[in-house]
Amino acid sequence: MEETISLKELFTVLKKRFMLIVSFAVIAVLLAGLYSFLIVTPMYQSTTQLLVNQEQTEAANVQVSDIQANLQLINTYSGIIKSPAILEQVSTQLDNELTVAQLNSKITVANEQNSQLVNVTIEDEDPYKAAEIANLTAEVFQTEIVELMNVNNVNILSPAVVSDNQSPVSPQPFLNMAIALVVGLMIGVGLSFLLEYLDNSVKTEEDIEKVLDLPLLGVINTMDNKDVPNQLHLQKKSVGSRSEQYGS
Amino acid sequence: MAAKKNKGSNQHMRNLIAHANPKAVAAEQYRTIRTNIQFSAVDQEIQTIVVTSSGAGEGKSTTAANMAIVFAQAGKRTLLVDADMRKPTVHYTFSLINSRGLSNILTRQNRLEEVVEESGIEKLQVLTSGIIPPNPSELLDSRSMDQFIQQARESYDVVIFDAPPVLAVTDAQVLASRCDGTILVVRSRVADKEKAVKAKEQLLAVKTKILGVILNDKKVEAGDDYYYYYGE
């Protein structure tokens, strides 16, 4: 069925289902708030920063290939940190509290753009635990890399520390609630248009023109009861013969 | 006999606003409809009008009664006939006793002038349905119906028939085929689009002239207030 919808009609629909849309948004925000504040365990993050210091053969002119090599080196290091070779040792030093796979899921390795810095970030429910694992991983990596790559060019630049009142990185209640608000609004709007589309009743003059293709003789508005006096003053005349007897 | 489904009570809406409050917006709207009907026929005078709708409870009786009133107010000798011999209501509207009426005329028990009643409104007379017969469709399709219409045409300027719904029973089709024009009452937010189209097709099938549609019970939207009474 071919439909042309004007902007005005869209606004009319939105206005009509305003309460529906608002209630969907409010419910979504409330659910997101409940979920974020009460259900999800907060997670904390700790980061150890490593410095990869490539030995410079000739300090004077840095070639493009050198930069390329550095980047490759750092990418390699990122892989090594997350490899079982390192993580198994970390796991052992943590008294096998966490398996390699669990550790792997907690660790994020990222190198900062165009630099020789590598960030090892750990996420955990306990901020102290997160810092401990981060530092342990960095230390193990620092010692292991000497053996693995025959270089001693990794320094721990800044170990992970737990600051006072560290705020959890997830959940982010306000972000979640904002997302929920948007999603709730979208569902509400979508539902209102669906309801409008499913409502198959004739409503306006335009409907009659479009659907029935008959001339419109007139429109009677919903009658207001205040327009109608309770008592109708119909003077009854006697039932007469056909000759008209008109009153008053 | 086909039963009409009752879509809730609209008894409080069944009022004679055109008479009770001629300055009301709705009364003005009925007068507009009267004008439109008068102008809708250029080549043929519209004297007998059937008021019907696709389903029950769309406001046929209210519309028919108020239209009869505005025609009478225009100085036309008007007869309102309750042709709904299954669920008659016109006698309630005008507080009449429905002891004798259309069914009595069609079964040749009485003559029109014996059973027609005054409405209490100048120039408007009312014919109630009479005792509910077992075969309303057959009565409406009879030769005595033709004779009745012929007589009504001679005695009145305008004859308005309050008919049953089109989709429920065939009565409205039978009536429409004998009258000059048919008006389809469509109740806003209630009438189904497809049913309205079906009703239109059924009316066209009997070759009646559909004068047009009355959109009934339209919700007043903010911004539509140009329907205020102009004279005040």
Side-chain angles (χ1 to χ4, degrees):
Chain A
M1 192 163 62
E2 172 216 342
E3 292 262 349
T4 31
I5 300 171
S6 76
L7 210 59
K8 200 179 156 194
E9 277 173 53
L10 292 182
F11 278 115
T12 320
V13 172
L14 293 182
K15 218 167 88 183
K16 200 167 98 188
R17 312 268 183 200
F18 184 70
M19 284 315 293
L20 179 101
I21 296 168
V22 167
S23 43
F24 260 95
V26 168
I27 289 169
V29 169
L30 283 178
L31 285 179
L34 276 175
Y35 176 78
S36 305
F37 284 113
L38 301 177
I39 295 172
V40 171
T41 333
M43 299 292 270
Y44 295 86
Q45 244 181 20
S46 244
T47 302
T48 299
Q49 213 163 39
L50 299 174
L51 176 65
V52 180
N53 188 20
Q54 179 80 309
E55 284 170 43
Q56 301 288 341
T57 40
E58 276 160 47
N61 40 18
V62 180
Q63 302 287 313
V64 179
S65 57
D66 287 347
I67 298 169
Q68 205 62 39
N70 270 338
L71 283 174
Q72 275 178 8
L73 192 65
I74 288 166
N75 283 336
T76 313
Y77 284 178
S78 306
I80 293 171
I81 292 173
K82 296 196 83 171
S83 71
I86 304 293
L87 293 185
E88 257 167 29
Q89 285 201 35
V90 176
S91 180
T92 320
Q93 291 199 29
L94 284 167
D95 301 330
N96 292 321
E97 211 176 301
L98 293 160
T99 64
V100 172
Q102 280 171 326
L103 277 173
N104 201 350
S105 67
K106 285 176 188 289
I107 296 177
T108 320
V109 183
N111 66 302
E112 277 178 22
Q113 197 72 44
N114 293 325
S115 77
Q116 294 174 316
L117 292 175
V118 177
N119 291 330
V120 180
T121 306
I122 305 289
E123 236 176 59
D124 198 90
E125 296 160 27
D126 179 4
Y128 295 96
K129 191 86 186 170
E132 188 195 339
I133 298 173
N135 287 329
L136 203 54
T137 311
E139 279 161 25
V140 169
F141 175 68
Q142 198 188 14
T143 39
E144 283 300 298
I145 200 70
V146 181
E147 232 172 276
L148 285 169
M149 293 194 61
N150 269 332
V151 281
N152 187 7
N153 61 355
V154 172
N155 296 309
I156 296 174
L157 187 65
S158 60
V161 281
V162 180
S163 59
D164 298 334
N165 297 324
Q166 195 179 354
S167 58
V169 288
S170 87
Q172 292 167 294
F174 294 104
L175 181 69
N176 287 353
M177 283 157 82
I179 293 169
L181 177 74
V182 173
V183 171
L185 284 176
M186 276 164 60
I187 293 174
V189 170
L191 205 64
S192 2
F193 281 113
L194 186 70
L195 286 175
E196 190 67 18
Y197 184 74
L198 292 179
D199 182 358
N200 203 23
S201 68
V202 177
K203 281 178 281 290
T204 58
E205 296 94 318
E206 291 83 46
D207 288 342
I208 286 180
E209 265 172 44
K210 268 190 285 187
V211 177
L212 282 178
D213 193 26
L214 288 171
L216 187 75
L217 288 174
V219 179
I220 310 295
N221 282 349
T222 303
M223 282 181 222
D224 217 331
N225 278 337
K226 73 171 161 48
D227 282 348
V228 187
N230 285 332
Q231 210 62 46
L232 294 181
H233 304 289
L234 295 178
Q235 299 98 340
K236 284 278 134 40
K237 289 281 175 305
S238 60
V239 178
S241 60
R242 205 169 64 71
S243 60
E244 291 88 9
Q245 298 176 319
Y246 300 133
S248 55
Chain B
M1 205 188 295
K4 293 200 299 179
K5 56 184 172 176
N6 195 352
K7 276 191 184 163
S9 165
N10 58 342
Q11 211 64 36
H12 67 287
M13 296 299 291
R14 185 165 293 140
N15 54 56
L16 303 176
I17 192 164
H19 175 72
N21 187 358
K23 286 190 173 183
V25 172
E28 191 54 58
Q29 290 170 328
Y30 282 117
R31 286 194 285 274
T32 307
I33 291 166
R34 178 188 68 198
T35 311
N36 286 342
I37 291 169
Q38 284 168 340
F39 278 89
S40 68
V42 273
D43 48 350
Q44 176 202 7
E45 205 201 341
I46 303 294
Q47 208 184 345
T48 49
I49 301 168
V50 181
V51 178
T52 187
S53 64
S54 59
E58 295 200 37
K60 291 176 295 296
S61 299
T62 312
T63 307
N66 281 291
M67 278 174 52
I69 291 170
V70 291
F71 271 112
Q73 284 169 347
K76 308 256 188 196
R77 289 170 297 160
T78 308
L79 178 67
L80 175 63
V81 182
D82 195 346
D84 189 345
M85 287 185 282
R86 297 167 194 269
K87 199 182 147 201
T89 52
V90 169
H91 55 286
Y92 295 126
T93 313
F94 288 91
S95 310
L96 300 169
I97 296 158
N98 187 21
S99 57
R100 292 184 303 174
L102 182 62
S103 60
N104 302 76
I105 297 175
L106 296 182
T107 51
R108 298 175 191 276
Q109 294 164 4
N110 292 98
R111 283 143 50 85
L112 172 59
E113 51 269 28
E114 288 172 349
V115 290
V116 74
E117 295 188 69
E118 289 293 339
S119 67
I121 294 161
E122 202 177 334
K123 296 215 174 201
L124 174 60
Q125 293 186 314
V126 176
L127 182 62
T128 58
S129 70
I131 291 150
I132 296 178
N135 52 346
S137 313
E138 285 76 15
L139 283 184
L140 292 173
D141 208 8
S142 63
R143 271 196 60 214
S144 50
M145 184 66 190
D146 291 331
Q147 286 163 4
F148 163 70
I149 291 178
Q150 192 50 46
Q151 197 192 347
R153 276 178 188 280
E154 286 161 13
S155 312
Y156 296 91
D157 296 324
V158 177
V159 184
I160 292 175
F161 291 92
D162 182 6
V166 179
L167 296 185
V169 287
T170 190
D171 299 16
Q173 282 177 290
V174 172
L175 258 176
S177 66
R178 286 172 156 72
C179 291
D180 299 336
T182 305
I183 289 172
L184 199 59
V185 177
V186 173
R187 186 170 195 161
S188 174
R189 288 163 289 138
V190 174
D192 192 87
K193 282 178 185 169
E194 281 156 27
K195 285 184 178 164
V197 171
K198 211 170 166 191
K200 174 195 167 187
E201 283 166 359
Q202 293 208 1
L203 288 174
L204 290 178
V206 294
K207 304 233 170 2
T208 181
K209 180 180 167 62
I210 300 180
L211 298 173
V213 179
I214 294 176
L215 184 63
N216 194 24
D217 198 16
K218 192 188 175 224
K219 212 156 126 191
V220 188
E221 306 271 345
D224 280 357
D225 51 0
Y226 49 83
Y227 279 125
Y228 65 96
Y229 185 68
Y230 185 67
E232 256 162 29

